[in-house]
Amino acid sequence: MCGIVGAVARRDIVPVLVEGLRRLEYRGYDSCGVAVLRDGAIDLVRTVSRVSDLALQVKNTRGITGIAHTRWATHGAPATENAHPIVSRGEIAVVHNGIIENHEELRSALQAKGYRFESQTDTEVIAHLVHSVYRGELLAAVREAVKQLKGAYAIAVVSKNDPHTVVGARAGSPLVVGEGNGEFFLASDALALAGTTDRVAYLEEGDVVSIGSDGWRVFDRDGCQAARELRTVQTSGTEADLGPYRHFMQKEIFEQPHAVSNTVESVREVTAALFGARAAQALRDVRSVLVLACGTSYHAGLVARYWLEAIAGVPCNVEIASEYRYRTSVPDPKSLVVGVSQSGETADTLSALKHAQALGQGTTLAVCNVASSAMMRMTQLQFLTRAGVEIGVASTKAFTTQLAALFLLTLTLAKLRGRLTPQDEAAHLKSLRHLPTALGAALALEPHIIAWAERFANKEHALFLGRGLHYPIALEGALKLKEISYIHAEAYPAGELKHGPLALVTAEMPVVTVAPNDALLEKLKSNMQEVRARGGELYVFADADTRIPSSPGVNVIRMPEHYGPLSPILHVVPLQLLAYHAALVRGTDVDKPRNLAKSVTVE
């Protein structure tokens, strides 16, 4: 969940390090720092402020070799002494993403050798460990040190005695090598190198890499020198610029028509080939579906369960990835295991996928927004959502493109099982192609939603209701509101009101209701009356033909059209806008909400 940048060049690399951190700040912003080698010493600058403040502090710092980091705190509170880089005895500096699970054991052993610890981080054991085994070559020291580490990590290390070398290593956390014109880089994401180089190599699990002024070398987990393919990637960085928008979240909400269009535009027919060359046989044998995901991606899976069972007739189970691997489950070898993740580096989801594979569930599919991610490399089948870079911590366009992908999976399984007629296929594809236009109409509701947000901003609690296919959308709306506005929000299936949540309803508890014109509408209207009878105020997102009138205590915004099975993709948009504008009124940091980070690469 943190960001790493490292560089060796013949020019001053401090601006490159700082710009790389700026592009990675969405991954962690509790603190940041830079260490460069200069005049035989490590020049260290750290701050608990943002990267913009660090840039001012290092404006007179120069160096041709260095590392930098932006942190999301795990071990140790956000404080200068816990900020990275972490230095051992003025000679070794380390930046680290991930968690070292045996750090207490290593700490005790290093203390017995006389090492003094000045931070509360697990990272400090790496710095001291590398120092303790250093015998004149940094690469050899890091290779020796990582043999003793347990957990997930990506690291970059420099030594004052190796002034033209940065050594990196990865296990369970991403790290890439970048190659420029006689200069070389390390980063936790290719985006960090946008504008510097577009030639990158993705390191594999267990790799150790050394970059220097003369090139780079990789050694695999067995200690053998290995080749890693250098690829040209799109790292222009234009998507990391705000343009006319105030926040990245706002920009990404309004990019959803384009993102969904990019995701479905090449689909001319429903075919298993959408999910890879080997998909036809693999999907034909599927007996059930298991979706593994976290957070917003989990909500996408919950929507997909309704689609898969109703349209494709395939039993579906949706598991929170962070829980799945720690319980005894009953594996189905004929199950399609679907991992859903924006980054493809979500540690819990990757671990859950590995666990499912270990249980004999070998047919796996990644639904992901990053083509080169670990998840895309570890699954048998893949579907790339084409949302583009998503910077805002609260996911928006990644969610709607995940839904589009999962709907295509539903249609594919339905067709393979003989449950999709040519007429139905044509109608569904027509709806998918029209989605960008329908999303644009939903975005046009923003002025009405702003007025609601101003009333929401002074509330501390909210309730979200939905039924059937739209209950997961209520969950997603509540998550967005709590993530960025810090208003406590809960979501329930509306039919559950009388089984407990109704006790919370007062005039001070706004109740947001997702009200499409579907088979459950009349049931939902009864649930809304239960709220009104207790003095609760309703905020209803209703389809145009639901005949839910505005009245005292019932505020209604009408959606532009009813969209059948794809209605959840439209109904989530006003909920995103409501959360965004409520957060604006409350003055929170929309793109970087407290205690959160974008890419959750630790368990």
Side-chain angles (χ1 to χ4, degrees), residues 86-140:
I86 300 286
V87 178
S88 176
R89 295 185 175 178
E91 296 182 357
I92 299 289
V94 174
V95 292
H96 164 225
N97 295 348
I99 292 177
I100 305 303
E101 294 175 355
N102 61 334
H103 70 98
E104 292 181 348
E105 172 190 336
L106 292 171
R107 181 183 291 255
S108 296
L110 289 162
Q111 285 174 329
K113 293 180 179 180
Y115 285 92
R116 180 182 175 184
F117 283 76
E118 298 178 351
S119 75
Q120 292 79 51
T121 68
D122 55 340
T123 304
E124 192 168 3
V125 303
I126 305 173
H128 292 321
L129 184 60
V130 172
H131 185 275
S132 72
V133 297
Y134 183 82
R135 299 292 183 269
E137 186 192 7
L138 184 60
L139 175 61

Tab-separated table of all heavy atoms in Angstrom, residues 86-140:
chain	number	residue	atom	x	y	z
A	86	ILE	N	14.491	4.035	5.989
A	86	ILE	CA	15.019	3.687	7.310
A	86	ILE	C	16.511	3.396	7.135
A	86	ILE	O	16.907	2.662	6.223
A	86	ILE	CB	14.304	2.459	7.887
A	86	ILE	CG1	12.801	2.737	8.039
A	86	ILE	CG2	14.937	2.045	9.196
A	86	ILE	CD1	12.426	3.647	9.175
A	87	VAL	N	17.323	3.972	8.018
A	87	VAL	CA	18.782	3.881	7.867
A	87	VAL	C	19.384	3.077	9.018
A	87	VAL	O	18.991	3.234	10.183
A	87	VAL	CB	19.411	5.284	7.818
A	87	VAL	CG1	20.934	5.199	7.724
A	87	VAL	CG2	18.858	6.067	6.631
A	88	SER	N	20.350	2.229	8.689
A	88	SER	CA	21.094	1.463	9.693
A	88	SER	C	22.518	1.990	9.794
A	88	SER	O	23.273	1.942	8.816
A	88	SER	CB	21.128	-0.020	9.307
A	88	SER	OG	21.927	-0.752	10.221
A	89	ARG	N	22.824	2.542	10.965
A	89	ARG	CA	24.183	2.997	11.318
A	89	ARG	C	24.780	3.924	10.270
A	89	ARG	O	26.002	3.951	10.060
A	89	ARG	CB	25.097	1.795	11.570
A	89	ARG	CG	24.664	0.979	12.789
A	89	ARG	CD	25.617	-0.130	13.135
A	89	ARG	NE	25.208	-0.801	14.375
A	89	ARG	CZ	25.827	-1.837	14.905
A	89	ARG	NH1	26.909	-2.336	14.302
A	89	ARG	NH2	25.386	-2.384	16.027
A	90	GLY	N	23.920	4.686	9.604
A	90	GLY	CA	24.397	5.669	8.638
A	90	GLY	C	24.969	5.081	7.377
A	90	GLY	O	25.534	5.815	6.555
A	91	GLU	N	24.808	3.768	7.170
A	91	GLU	CA	25.469	3.115	6.039
A	91	GLU	C	24.509	2.444	5.062
A	91	GLU	O	24.793	2.368	3.865
A	91	GLU	CB	26.464	2.069	6.551
A	91	GLU	CG	27.600	2.685	7.365
A	91	GLU	CD	28.599	1.631	7.825
A	91	GLU	OE1	28.369	0.439	7.568
A	91	GLU	OE2	29.602	2.025	8.444
A	92	ILE	N	23.390	1.925	5.554
A	92	ILE	CA	22.419	1.212	4.725
A	92	ILE	C	21.074	1.918	4.861
A	92	ILE	O	20.620	2.193	5.970
A	92	ILE	CB	22.266	-0.258	5.156
A	92	ILE	CG1	23.586	-1.011	5.029
A	92	ILE	CG2	21.150	-0.939	4.370
A	92	ILE	CD1	24.031	-1.278	3.625
A	93	ALA	N	20.420	2.196	3.736
A	93	ALA	CA	19.065	2.784	3.757
A	93	ALA	C	18.121	1.874	2.987
A	93	ALA	O	18.480	1.330	1.934
A	93	ALA	CB	19.068	4.184	3.161
A	94	VAL	N	16.905	1.718	3.529
A	94	VAL	CA	15.924	0.790	2.966
A	94	VAL	C	14.569	1.478	2.862
A	94	VAL	O	14.170	2.219	3.764
A	94	VAL	CB	15.783	-0.469	3.846
A	94	VAL	CG1	14.648	-1.371	3.339
A	94	VAL	CG2	17.072	-1.255	3.891
A	95	VAL	N	13.855	1.199	1.770
A	95	VAL	CA	12.425	1.494	1.684
A	95	VAL	C	11.717	0.162	1.471
A	95	VAL	O	12.252	-0.752	0.842
A	95	VAL	CB	12.095	2.489	0.560
A	95	VAL	CG1	12.652	3.863	0.878
A	95	VAL	CG2	12.602	2.019	-0.788
A	96	HIS	N	10.487	0.074	1.974
A	96	HIS	CA	9.838	-1.234	2.063
A	96	HIS	C	8.327	-1.093	1.942
A	96	HIS	O	7.722	-0.261	2.612
A	96	HIS	CB	10.212	-1.866	3.426
A	96	HIS	CG	9.358	-3.017	3.849
A	96	HIS	ND1	8.871	-3.135	5.137
A	96	HIS	CD2	8.896	-4.093	3.170
A	96	HIS	CE1	8.163	-4.236	5.232
A	96	HIS	NE2	8.148	-4.839	4.059
A	97	ASN	N	7.735	-1.918	1.097
A	97	ASN	CA	6.288	-2.125	1.066
A	97	ASN	C	6.000	-3.522	1.593
A	97	ASN	O	6.745	-4.460	1.290
A	97	ASN	CB	5.739	-2.043	-0.362
A	97	ASN	CG	5.894	-0.676	-0.979
A	97	ASN	OD1	6.206	0.292	-0.306
A	97	ASN	ND2	5.671	-0.603	-2.274
A	98	GLY	N	4.915	-3.676	2.337
A	98	GLY	CA	4.538	-4.999	2.820
A	98	GLY	C	4.717	-5.149	4.314
A	98	GLY	O	4.864	-4.161	5.047
A	99	ILE	N	4.705	-6.386	4.764
A	99	ILE	CA	4.823	-6.694	6.189
A	99	ILE	C	5.795	-7.847	6.377
A	99	ILE	O	5.680	-8.883	5.713
A	99	ILE	CB	3.447	-7.063	6.792
A	99	ILE	CG1	2.530	-5.839	6.824
A	99	ILE	CG2	3.593	-7.651	8.185
A	99	ILE	CD1	1.132	-6.127	7.330
A	100	ILE	N	6.745	-7.669	7.287
A	100	ILE	CA	7.680	-8.734	7.665
A	100	ILE	C	7.083	-9.456	8.877
A	100	ILE	O	7.037	-8.908	9.981
A	100	ILE	CB	9.077	-8.178	7.979
A	100	ILE	CG1	9.591	-7.361	6.795
A	100	ILE	CG2	10.041	-9.309	8.337
A	100	ILE	CD1	9.647	-8.110	5.481
A	101	GLU	N	6.633	-10.674	8.673
A	101	GLU	CA	5.893	-11.370	9.717
A	101	GLU	C	6.786	-11.832	10.869
A	101	GLU	O	6.318	-11.967	12.005
A	101	GLU	CB	5.150	-12.561	9.109
A	101	GLU	CG	4.049	-12.129	8.134
A	101	GLU	CD	3.394	-13.297	7.430
A	101	GLU	OE1	3.853	-14.451	7.632
A	101	GLU	OE2	2.430	-13.073	6.686
A	102	ASN	N	8.051	-12.077	10.601
A	102	ASN	CA	8.955	-12.521	11.670
A	102	ASN	C	9.836	-11.390	12.174
A	102	ASN	O	10.966	-11.604	12.631
A	102	ASN	CB	9.818	-13.684	11.186
A	102	ASN	CG	10.714	-13.337	9.999
A	102	ASN	OD1	10.390	-12.429	9.236
A	102	ASN	ND2	11.822	-14.051	9.853
A	103	HIS	N	9.323	-10.160	12.139
A	103	HIS	CA	10.151	-9.008	12.515
A	103	HIS	C	10.521	-9.036	13.997
A	103	HIS	O	11.611	-8.583	14.388
A	103	HIS	CB	9.451	-7.695	12.166
A	103	HIS	CG	8.254	-7.379	13.000
A	103	HIS	ND1	8.298	-6.533	14.076
A	103	HIS	CD2	6.973	-7.810	12.906
A	103	HIS	CE1	7.094	-6.449	14.606
A	103	HIS	NE2	6.276	-7.205	13.921
A	104	GLU	N	9.650	-9.546	14.867
A	104	GLU	CA	9.976	-9.569	16.303
A	104	GLU	C	11.138	-10.514	16.583
A	104	GLU	O	12.041	-10.195	17.368
A	104	GLU	CB	8.739	-9.970	17.102
A	104	GLU	CG	7.628	-8.916	17.070
A	104	GLU	CD	6.416	-9.331	17.883
A	104	GLU	OE1	6.341	-10.521	18.273
A	104	GLU	OE2	5.543	-8.474	18.115
A	105	GLU	N	11.119	-11.671	15.934
A	105	GLU	CA	12.217	-12.626	16.085
A	105	GLU	C	13.532	-12.033	15.575
A	105	GLU	O	14.589	-12.137	16.234
A	105	GLU	CB	11.865	-13.901	15.318
A	105	GLU	CG	12.970	-14.933	15.210
A	105	GLU	CD	12.612	-16.042	14.250
A	105	GLU	OE1	11.401	-16.287	14.024
A	105	GLU	OE2	13.547	-16.663	13.700
A	106	LEU	N	13.472	-11.391	14.407
A	106	LEU	CA	14.668	-10.776	13.842
A	106	LEU	C	15.142	-9.609	14.698
A	106	LEU	O	16.358	-9.410	14.897
A	106	LEU	CB	14.383	-10.298	12.420
A	106	LEU	CG	14.148	-11.385	11.369
A	106	LEU	CD1	13.666	-10.771	10.063
A	106	LEU	CD2	15.427	-12.197	11.137
A	107	ARG	N	14.211	-8.832	15.219
A	107	ARG	CA	14.572	-7.698	16.073
A	107	ARG	C	15.360	-8.173	17.298
A	107	ARG	O	16.403	-7.590	17.641
A	107	ARG	CB	13.305	-6.950	16.508
A	107	ARG	CG	13.580	-5.727	17.399
A	107	ARG	CD	12.276	-5.099	17.840
A	107	ARG	NE	11.573	-4.477	16.724
A	107	ARG	CZ	11.517	-3.165	16.519
A	107	ARG	NH1	12.109	-2.331	17.354
A	107	ARG	NH2	10.870	-2.674	15.495
A	108	SER	N	14.878	-9.230	17.930
A	108	SER	CA	15.568	-9.751	19.122
A	108	SER	C	16.984	-10.210	18.777
A	108	SER	O	17.934	-9.932	19.521
A	108	SER	CB	14.768	-10.906	19.726
A	108	SER	OG	13.511	-10.464	20.181
A	109	ALA	N	17.119	-10.915	17.662
A	109	ALA	CA	18.436	-11.407	17.260
A	109	ALA	C	19.385	-10.259	16.946
A	109	ALA	O	20.571	-10.292	17.311
A	109	ALA	CB	18.300	-12.331	16.053
A	110	LEU	N	18.867	-9.218	16.282
A	110	LEU	CA	19.715	-8.078	15.936
A	110	LEU	C	20.064	-7.244	17.162
A	110	LEU	O	21.188	-6.722	17.274
A	110	LEU	CB	19.004	-7.220	14.885
A	110	LEU	CG	18.924	-7.857	13.487
A	110	LEU	CD1	17.854	-7.183	12.641
A	110	LEU	CD2	20.287	-7.796	12.785
A	111	GLN	N	19.138	-7.106	18.080
A	111	GLN	CA	19.451	-6.402	19.334
A	111	GLN	C	20.554	-7.125	20.095
A	111	GLN	O	21.416	-6.483	20.706
A	111	GLN	CB	18.195	-6.271	20.187
A	111	GLN	CG	17.218	-5.220	19.681
A	111	GLN	CD	15.915	-5.207	20.443
A	111	GLN	OE1	15.461	-6.243	20.926
A	111	GLN	NE2	15.293	-4.038	20.553
A	112	ALA	N	20.526	-8.438	20.048
A	112	ALA	CA	21.582	-9.217	20.710
A	112	ALA	C	22.945	-8.970	20.077
A	112	ALA	O	23.985	-9.133	20.737
A	112	ALA	CB	21.239	-10.703	20.657
A	113	LYS	N	22.952	-8.541	18.824
A	113	LYS	CA	24.205	-8.215	18.141
A	113	LYS	C	24.612	-6.762	18.336
A	113	LYS	O	25.603	-6.313	17.767
A	113	LYS	CB	24.070	-8.498	16.645
A	113	LYS	CG	23.926	-9.986	16.302
A	113	LYS	CD	23.803	-10.181	14.791
A	113	LYS	CE	23.684	-11.641	14.429
A	113	LYS	NZ	23.564	-11.855	12.960
A	114	GLY	N	23.807	-6.011	19.093
A	114	GLY	CA	24.158	-4.633	19.398
A	114	GLY	C	23.461	-3.583	18.567
A	114	GLY	O	23.761	-2.384	18.690
A	115	TYR	N	22.497	-3.978	17.722
A	115	TYR	CA	21.777	-2.999	16.915
A	115	TYR	C	20.716	-2.300	17.761
A	115	TYR	O	19.967	-2.934	18.506
A	115	TYR	CB	21.134	-3.658	15.694
A	115	TYR	CG	22.143	-3.992	14.622
A	115	TYR	CD1	22.764	-5.246	14.591
A	115	TYR	CD2	22.503	-3.054	13.659
A	115	TYR	CE1	23.710	-5.551	13.630
A	115	TYR	CE2	23.439	-3.359	12.689
A	115	TYR	CZ	24.046	-4.601	12.672
A	115	TYR	OH	24.996	-4.902	11.714
A	116	ARG	N	20.658	-1.000	17.623
A	116	ARG	CA	19.698	-0.189	18.360
A	116	ARG	C	18.561	0.210	17.430
A	116	ARG	O	18.804	0.732	16.337
A	116	ARG	CB	20.384	1.055	18.917
A	116	ARG	CG	19.453	1.970	19.694
A	116	ARG	CD	20.210	3.192	20.174
A	116	ARG	NE	19.302	4.148	20.814
A	116	ARG	CZ	19.670	5.340	21.267
A	116	ARG	NH1	20.944	5.727	21.130
A	116	ARG	NH2	18.795	6.145	21.821
A	117	PHE	N	17.336	-0.006	17.880
A	117	PHE	CA	16.166	0.304	17.058
A	117	PHE	C	15.587	1.648	17.469
A	117	PHE	O	15.371	1.917	18.656
A	117	PHE	CB	15.115	-0.796	17.201
A	117	PHE	CG	15.450	-2.035	16.418
A	117	PHE	CD1	16.428	-2.922	16.880
A	117	PHE	CD2	14.839	-2.296	15.206
A	117	PHE	CE1	16.761	-4.056	16.154
A	117	PHE	CE2	15.169	-3.427	14.472
A	117	PHE	CZ	16.123	-4.318	14.938
A	118	GLU	N	15.328	2.485	16.464
A	118	GLU	CA	14.836	3.841	16.726
A	118	GLU	C	13.420	4.066	16.217
A	118	GLU	O	12.867	5.148	16.404
A	118	GLU	CB	15.790	4.853	16.075
A	118	GLU	CG	17.209	4.780	16.646
A	118	GLU	CD	18.161	5.741	15.961
A	118	GLU	OE1	17.753	6.333	14.933
A	118	GLU	OE2	19.303	5.888	16.436
A	119	SER	N	12.839	3.056	15.581
A	119	SER	CA	11.468	3.188	15.068
A	119	SER	C	10.626	2.030	15.588
A	119	SER	O	11.135	1.096	16.223
A	119	SER	CB	11.463	3.178	13.537
A	119	SER	OG	11.674	1.862	13.043
A	120	GLN	N	9.344	2.099	15.305
A	120	GLN	CA	8.438	0.995	15.645
A	120	GLN	C	8.126	0.143	14.417
A	120	GLN	O	7.228	-0.701	14.452
A	120	GLN	CB	7.119	1.550	16.216
A	120	GLN	CG	7.251	2.222	17.569
A	120	GLN	CD	7.801	3.635	17.456
A	120	GLN	OE1	7.293	4.445	16.679
A	120	GLN	NE2	8.825	3.934	18.236
A	121	THR	N	8.847	0.330	13.334
A	121	THR	CA	8.521	-0.346	12.085
A	121	THR	C	9.152	-1.726	11.992
A	121	THR	O	10.202	-1.994	12.577
A	121	THR	CB	9.018	0.477	10.881
A	121	THR	OG1	10.452	0.469	10.865
A	121	THR	CG2	8.508	1.905	10.949
A	122	ASP	N	8.499	-2.587	11.223
A	122	ASP	CA	9.120	-3.864	10.881
A	122	ASP	C	10.234	-3.663	9.852
A	122	ASP	O	11.128	-4.490	9.724
A	122	ASP	CB	8.075	-4.851	10.362
A	122	ASP	CG	7.262	-4.309	9.194
A	122	ASP	OD1	7.217	-3.072	9.012
A	122	ASP	OD2	6.662	-5.113	8.460
A	123	THR	N	10.196	-2.533	9.148
A	123	THR	CA	11.192	-2.241	8.116
A	123	THR	C	12.596	-2.112	8.686
A	123	THR	O	13.582	-2.475	8.030
A	123	THR	CB	10.809	-0.945	7.379
A	123	THR	OG1	9.488	-1.090	6.854
A	123	THR	CG2	11.775	-0.623	6.261
A	124	GLU	N	12.695	-1.615	9.899
A	124	GLU	CA	14.025	-1.372	10.460
A	124	GLU	C	14.833	-2.659	10.593
A	124	GLU	O	16.064	-2.636	10.499
A	124	GLU	CB	13.924	-0.662	11.811
A	124	GLU	CG	15.269	-0.121	12.284
A	124	GLU	CD	15.147	0.824	13.469
A	124	GLU	OE1	14.024	1.018	13.970
A	124	GLU	OE2	16.204	1.364	13.890
A	125	VAL	N	14.132	-3.800	10.771
A	125	VAL	CA	14.891	-5.055	10.862
A	125	VAL	C	15.571	-5.356	9.533
A	125	VAL	O	16.654	-5.955	9.505
A	125	VAL	CB	14.004	-6.242	11.297
A	125	VAL	CG1	13.333	-5.961	12.629
A	125	VAL	CG2	12.980	-6.614	10.245
A	126	ILE	N	14.957	-4.939	8.409
A	126	ILE	CA	15.576	-5.192	7.103
A	126	ILE	C	16.869	-4.396	6.983
A	126	ILE	O	17.911	-4.916	6.554
A	126	ILE	CB	14.621	-4.818	5.961
A	126	ILE	CG1	13.282	-5.537	6.102
A	126	ILE	CG2	15.261	-5.135	4.611
A	126	ILE	CD1	12.234	-5.086	5.086
A	127	ALA	N	16.826	-3.125	7.373
A	127	ALA	CA	18.018	-2.281	7.276
A	127	ALA	C	19.159	-2.848	8.108
A	127	ALA	O	20.301	-2.972	7.630
A	127	ALA	CB	17.677	-0.861	7.730
A	128	HIS	N	18.870	-3.187	9.360
A	128	HIS	CA	19.917	-3.723	10.232
A	128	HIS	C	20.380	-5.106	9.767
A	128	HIS	O	21.575	-5.440	9.867
A	128	HIS	CB	19.423	-3.801	11.672
A	128	HIS	CG	19.190	-2.459	12.306
A	128	HIS	ND1	20.013	-1.382	12.089
A	128	HIS	CD2	18.218	-2.031	13.167
A	128	HIS	CE1	19.571	-0.338	12.780
A	128	HIS	NE2	18.481	-0.708	13.433
A	129	LEU	N	19.444	-5.906	9.257
A	129	LEU	CA	19.809	-7.247	8.784
A	129	LEU	C	20.754	-7.159	7.596
A	129	LEU	O	21.769	-7.875	7.534
A	129	LEU	CB	18.541	-8.017	8.412
A	129	LEU	CG	18.701	-9.478	7.993
A	129	LEU	CD1	19.332	-10.300	9.102
A	129	LEU	CD2	17.347	-10.067	7.604
A	130	VAL	N	20.440	-6.283	6.632
A	130	VAL	CA	21.334	-6.112	5.486
A	130	VAL	C	22.698	-5.609	5.963
A	130	VAL	O	23.745	-6.096	5.513
A	130	VAL	CB	20.730	-5.133	4.457
A	130	VAL	CG1	21.750	-4.803	3.362
A	130	VAL	CG2	19.473	-5.720	3.836
A	131	HIS	N	22.696	-4.652	6.893
A	131	HIS	CA	23.964	-4.144	7.425
A	131	HIS	C	24.766	-5.253	8.087
A	131	HIS	O	25.998	-5.326	7.937
A	131	HIS	CB	23.687	-3.018	8.424
A	131	HIS	CG	24.927	-2.355	8.937
A	131	HIS	ND1	25.652	-2.840	10.019
A	131	HIS	CD2	25.594	-1.244	8.513
A	131	HIS	CE1	26.690	-2.063	10.238
A	131	HIS	NE2	26.680	-1.081	9.338
A	132	SER	N	24.070	-6.133	8.804
A	132	SER	CA	24.776	-7.176	9.574
A	132	SER	C	25.453	-8.204	8.678
A	132	SER	O	26.421	-8.851	9.108
A	132	SER	CB	23.799	-7.881	10.521
A	132	SER	OG	22.898	-8.720	9.814
A	133	VAL	N	24.958	-8.376	7.441
A	133	VAL	CA	25.562	-9.374	6.551
A	133	VAL	C	26.348	-8.720	5.413
A	133	VAL	O	26.855	-9.420	4.533
A	133	VAL	CB	24.478	-10.314	5.963
A	133	VAL	CG1	23.798	-11.099	7.073
A	133	VAL	CG2	23.446	-9.554	5.140
A	134	TYR	N	26.463	-7.404	5.440
A	134	TYR	CA	27.182	-6.698	4.375
A	134	TYR	C	28.682	-6.972	4.490
A	134	TYR	O	29.292	-6.766	5.543
A	134	TYR	CB	26.919	-5.197	4.461
A	134	TYR	CG	27.570	-4.401	3.349
A	134	TYR	CD1	26.971	-4.291	2.100
A	134	TYR	CD2	28.794	-3.758	3.549
A	134	TYR	CE1	27.564	-3.566	1.089
A	134	TYR	CE2	29.394	-3.039	2.542
A	134	TYR	CZ	28.780	-2.941	1.297
A	134	TYR	OH	29.373	-2.227	0.292
A	135	ARG	N	29.269	-7.442	3.383
A	135	ARG	CA	30.705	-7.757	3.369
A	135	ARG	C	31.387	-7.114	2.170
A	135	ARG	O	32.351	-7.660	1.632
A	135	ARG	CB	30.911	-9.275	3.325
A	135	ARG	CG	30.329	-10.032	4.505
A	135	ARG	CD	31.066	-9.722	5.812
A	135	ARG	NE	30.550	-10.504	6.922
A	135	ARG	CZ	29.573	-10.121	7.729
A	135	ARG	NH1	28.985	-8.926	7.523
A	135	ARG	NH2	29.150	-10.876	8.714
A	136	GLY	N	30.872	-5.967	1.748
A	136	GLY	CA	31.522	-5.256	0.657
A	136	GLY	C	30.761	-5.228	-0.635
A	136	GLY	O	31.123	-4.480	-1.546
A	137	GLU	N	29.683	-6.040	-0.761
A	137	GLU	CA	28.860	-6.007	-1.972
A	137	GLU	C	27.393	-5.982	-1.565
A	137	GLU	O	26.900	-6.894	-0.898
A	137	GLU	CB	29.113	-7.220	-2.866
A	137	GLU	CG	28.367	-7.108	-4.185
A	137	GLU	CD	28.366	-8.418	-4.983
A	137	GLU	OE1	28.827	-9.445	-4.473
A	137	GLU	OE2	27.863	-8.376	-6.119
A	138	LEU	N	26.685	-4.940	-1.969
A	138	LEU	CA	25.304	-4.758	-1.549
A	138	LEU	C	24.396	-5.861	-2.091
A	138	LEU	O	23.523	-6.358	-1.368
A	138	LEU	CB	24.795	-3.388	-2.001
A	138	LEU	CG	23.382	-3.015	-1.553
A	138	LEU	CD1	23.274	-3.008	-0.037
A	138	LEU	CD2	22.985	-1.662	-2.129
A	139	LEU	N	24.582	-6.238	-3.355
A	139	LEU	CA	23.743	-7.282	-3.931
A	139	LEU	C	23.837	-8.569	-3.122
A	139	LEU	O	22.812	-9.193	-2.793
A	139	LEU	CB	24.136	-7.533	-5.385
A	139	LEU	CG	23.427	-8.699	-6.092
A	139	LEU	CD1	21.924	-8.470	-6.145
A	139	LEU	CD2	24.000	-8.906	-7.497
A	140	ALA	N	25.036	-8.981	-2.779
A	140	ALA	CA	25.219	-10.212	-2.004
A	140	ALA	C	24.565	-10.092	-0.635
A	140	ALA	O	23.961	-11.055	-0.131
A	140	ALA	CB	26.710	-10.521	-1.869
